Amino acid sequence: MDYGGAMGGYVMMSAPRYARRTSANNPTKLPEPSWTIPNTPSMSPQTSNVSNASRPQRPRQAPQLSNSSSSTTGQTITRYDRKEDMHSSTTSFNTSSSGSAGRGDGSSSAHQSQSPCVMRYGRRYLSDGTLPYPFPCDVPELHRQNLWTTFLVEVFGAPFCSPWMKDKSPKQVLEVACGTALWSSLCHDHLVELGYPNVSFTGLDVAPLAPDLQEQGMDWAFVQHDLRRSPLPFEEDSFDLVFVKDLSFVAPAAAFQNSLMPEYLRILKPGGTLEIWDSDHALRTLLPHPPQSPVIAQKDQQRAKELAMYSVLPSTPGTPPQNQYLQDHNGWIKKALDRRNLMSMPCTAIGSIMIQEAEDLKEQNNRRFAIMLSEVKWEREGVGGAGAAGALSSRRKSVTRQEKGKAVQTEPRTLTPDQLALRRTALLIFVGMIESLEPLLKEASGKNQDEWARWWAGMMEDLLEKKGTSSGECLEVGAWWGQKLQRPIRKDDR
């Protein structure tokens, strides 16, 4: 994959097509959201909009929505036609509503319409202010997320890590919090290359940001649904693969474990795969020449070597970043996400959450990598660097570390242009995340606009021009997966 191009490796993805049409099937009253931003009122209940979910060739049924009581006074069907010019900040939405609003006074109806996006801080955000999701949903952010998805697929070597699908293709795939649905598109292309063209994909999200992938020849359906509302709008045993990415920015850890995980398992077919990708949002510094444990799969070690990454275990040594700007970021992002009950270090939590589902998920495994954000001193110079007291000379062709009592020779690493571009891309994605989170981070920092502008300029110069991440600051990513247990055969089924 070519990471070259403008901005020192930053690749602008092609603009997603925003023409999106959704409809609803007999909307019913929904329960209140199960989690919101603390100290904010709950949003008014809305329907789940289903697109193309009633096609006869699809074996699953249209979503069955909860009939739990709520405070709604009516039912609204909303149809969105979204057309957005990349060079314009104007978005138009055509809405129509039906049904009556029962007010208790016999009056018949009221027309209700609500745009899913509003302008805040000069950028476009989801209009529901109780959602803990902190990012804007405008073109620059969607580009960054598309690049992030492509980056992760390159890091892991495929759109999924679980080994079972290489020999047996899934038939029904669900992408949770799909956004632009780029992962679904990449997964479809990958499966076609493996000889599996007839796979049905469904995207689930709170807002219709995905293009109509049917125009690309995919069997595709989009379901609009707020993940805070349980149950998810699917029947039991609906999917062979449930894929979840970056949900740490959407759901608190408690909701992830107590609400969403049971739902993933409910809609997953016996023998189906649950796979979760996420990354830590606070950075740390990897200590020089981390040892490679024998429990790390050989293919993971090889992949890490090819891309100049490092395989990570829970015991992999690390320290807080030495860079002052990254120290600032870590403190602010933790404070900001804590206010929203979101996880700042999901890579340390998801494995434990998965293990607690061991009764339902077998063959659990994971892959975790640390991607450096630039060239690192100790990779070139040896442990401690050439200038450190007692350090090995940078002229030596190898350095020595102690691993389980044995001396291990470690060759100095000279990065290839592709490896450097990968690291540069990781750094630019991270800087883009800081930019998209500016309102949250600025509030957490207590800085005014002038103070933030000075900090931002200094950070950009330090990280992008002065090699401020050469001490080993890294971006940590992970993938976790498991296979749902087959149901025991009962006597009645024989």
Side-chain angles (χ1 to χ4, degrees):
M1 182 170 294
D2 182 13
Y3 285 93
M7 298 182 65
Y10 184 86
V11 181
M12 290 298 291
M13 308 300 296
S14 59
R17 292 167 296 170
Y18 289 106
R20 184 78 216 135
R21 183 171 293 253
T22 59
S23 62
N25 293 341
N26 299 322
T28 59
K29 296 181 180 180
L30 298 177
E32 290 298 313
S34 56
W35 69 87
T36 62
I37 298 177
N39 301 321
T40 59
S42 299
M43 66 181 289
S44 60
Q46 297 177 355
T47 62
S48 292
N49 293 335
V50 182
S51 174
N52 305 315
S54 60
R55 286 175 287 161
Q57 68 270 27
R58 303 297 289 271
R60 62 178 177 273
Q61 300 179 11
Q64 300 297 316
L65 303 179
S66 169
N67 289 319
S68 301
S69 61
S70 67
S71 60
T72 184
T73 59
Q75 300 173 357
T76 302
I77 300 174
T78 306
R79 182 183 301 276
Y80 301 112
D81 283 335
R82 177 173 181 175
K83 297 180 180 179
E84 181 171 7
D85 189 305
M86 286 189 61
H87 305 289
S88 170
S89 61
T90 301
T91 304
S92 62
F93 296 86
N94 297 326
T95 62
S96 62
S97 60
S98 63
S100 61
R103 302 168 183 261
D105 57 359
S107 59
S108 61
S109 66
H111 180 81
Q112 301 178 11
S113 64
Q114 180 183 5
S115 168
C117 297
V118 296
M119 295 297 295
R120 300 191 193 107
Y121 315 110
R123 301 189 68 173
R124 185 175 295 108
Y125 289 81
L126 295 174
S127 59
D128 179 10
T130 69
L131 287 166
Y133 183 71
F135 289 105
C137 55
D138 54 13
V139 170
E141 174 59 18
L142 297 181
H143 278 321
R144 188 193 72 84
Q145 293 185 17
N146 280 353
L147 181 60
W148 175 238
T149 299
T150 307
F151 177 84
L152 289 178
V153 171
E154 175 69 6
V155 165
F156 293 124
F160 48 80
C161 296
S162 51
W164 311 295
M165 288 177 290
K166 295 180 180 178
D167 299 323
K168 182 180 179 181
S169 170
K171 296 180 180 179
Q172 303 284 339
V173 177
L174 173 67
E175 181 182 2
V176 178
C178 64
T180 64
L182 179 62
W183 178 87
S184 289
S185 180
L186 295 175
C187 187
H188 168 265
D189 293 345
H190 181 75
L191 291 173
V192 169
E193 291 178 359
L194 295 178
Y196 306 120
N198 300 317
V199 180
S200 297
F201 286 84
T202 299
L204 181 75
D205 211 330
V206 71
L209 301 176
D212 187 355
L213 297 181
Q214 290 190 82
E215 296 180 6
Q216 301 179 18
M218 289 179 56
D219 185 356
W220 165 256
F222 174 77
V223 178
Q224 186 173 349
H225 182 76
D226 188 336
L227 287 175
R228 296 176 297 174
R229 306 189 186 284
S230 186
L232 296 179
F234 304 105
E235 296 294 324
E236 293 183 6
D237 305 342
S238 293
F239 298 99
D240 304 288
L241 170 62
V242 173
F243 181 81
V244 184
K245 182 173 71 67
D246 297 329
L247 209 68
S248 58
F249 280 121
V250 176
F256 196 104
Q257 179 175 350
N258 300 327
S259 176
L260 293 176
M261 283 293 290
E263 281 298 290
Y264 299 154
L265 294 173
R266 180 184 67 82
I267 64 178
L268 194 63
K269 294 179 182 179
T273 299
L274 171 64
E275 183 155 338
I276 300 172
W277 290 10
D278 220 313
S279 63
D280 285 343
H281 314 311
L283 305 186
R284 64 173 180 161
T285 297
L286 207 61
L287 294 182
H289 305 290
Q292 295 301 299
S293 170
V295 303
I296 297 177
Q298 183 64 35
K299 65 177 182 179
D300 289 352
Q301 296 185 33
Q302 182 61 32
R303 188 66 182 172
K305 183 177 180 180
E306 290 174 359
L307 300 183
M309 306 181 299
Y310 294 90
S311 297
V312 173
L313 293 171
S315 59
T316 299
T319 63
Q322 298 184 27
N323 184 283
Q324 182 60 51
Y325 291 100
L326 297 183
Q327 292 178 21
D328 292 342
H329 162 79
N330 280 4
W332 300 338
I333 191 69
K334 290 178 180 178
K335 183 177 180 180
L337 295 183
D338 282 348
R339 288 176 177 175
R340 295 174 174 242
N341 294 326
L342 297 176
M343 296 179 283
S344 60
M345 304 290 284
C347 289
T348 62
I350 293 176
S352 298
I353 293 174
M354 293 281 287
I355 289 175
Q356 294 184 45
E357 305 295 337
E359 292 184 0
D360 297 304
L361 282 175
K362 65 176 182 178
E363 304 294 336
Q364 291 190 30
N365 210 333
N366 67 83
R367 302 174 72 184
R368 289 177 60 183
F369 293 116
I371 302 103
M372 300 299 182
L373 300 180
S374 65
E375 287 188 284
V376 179
K377 294 177 182 178
W378 48 260
E379 289 180 317
R380 302 190 311 266
E381 302 171 352
V383 178
L392 298 175
S393 170
S394 61
R395 296 180 180 178
R396 291 185 57 179
K397 294 185 178 179
S398 63
V399 296
T400 303
R401 71 166 183 261
Q402 294 295 320
E403 184 174 316
K404 294 186 176 181
K406 298 181 180 180
V408 180
Q409 295 296 316
T410 305
E411 297 294 332
R413 172 171 280 175
T414 301
L415 300 179
T416 68
D418 287 344
Q419 292 169 342
L420 284 170
L422 184 79
R423 294 188 179 188
R424 184 71 171 183
T425 303
L427 176 60
L428 289 165
I429 292 172
F430 173 74
V431 170
M433 184 188 74
I434 295 179
E435 183 177 23
S436 289
L437 294 177
E438 176 182 332
L440 269 73
L441 297 179
K442 185 170 68 175
E443 180 185 10
S445 71
K447 295 181 181 295
N448 60 35
Q449 186 59 45
D450 291 339
E451 292 169 338
W452 176 265
R454 288 193 293 270
W455 182 89
W456 170 263
M459 183 270 296
M460 292 286 283
E461 181 181 11
D462 186 77
L463 297 186
L464 300 181
E465 298 179 17
K466 295 184 177 180
K467 299 181 179 180
T469 57
S470 60
S471 297
E473 288 84 355
C474 61
L475 183 66
E476 296 185 50
V477 302
W480 298 260
W481 63 90
Q483 195 172 29
K484 184 177 177 179
L485 289 171
Q486 297 280 355
R487 284 199 189 96
I489 299 177
R490 299 176 300 178
K491 293 181 180 181
D492 296 341
D493 297 332
R494 296 176 180 174

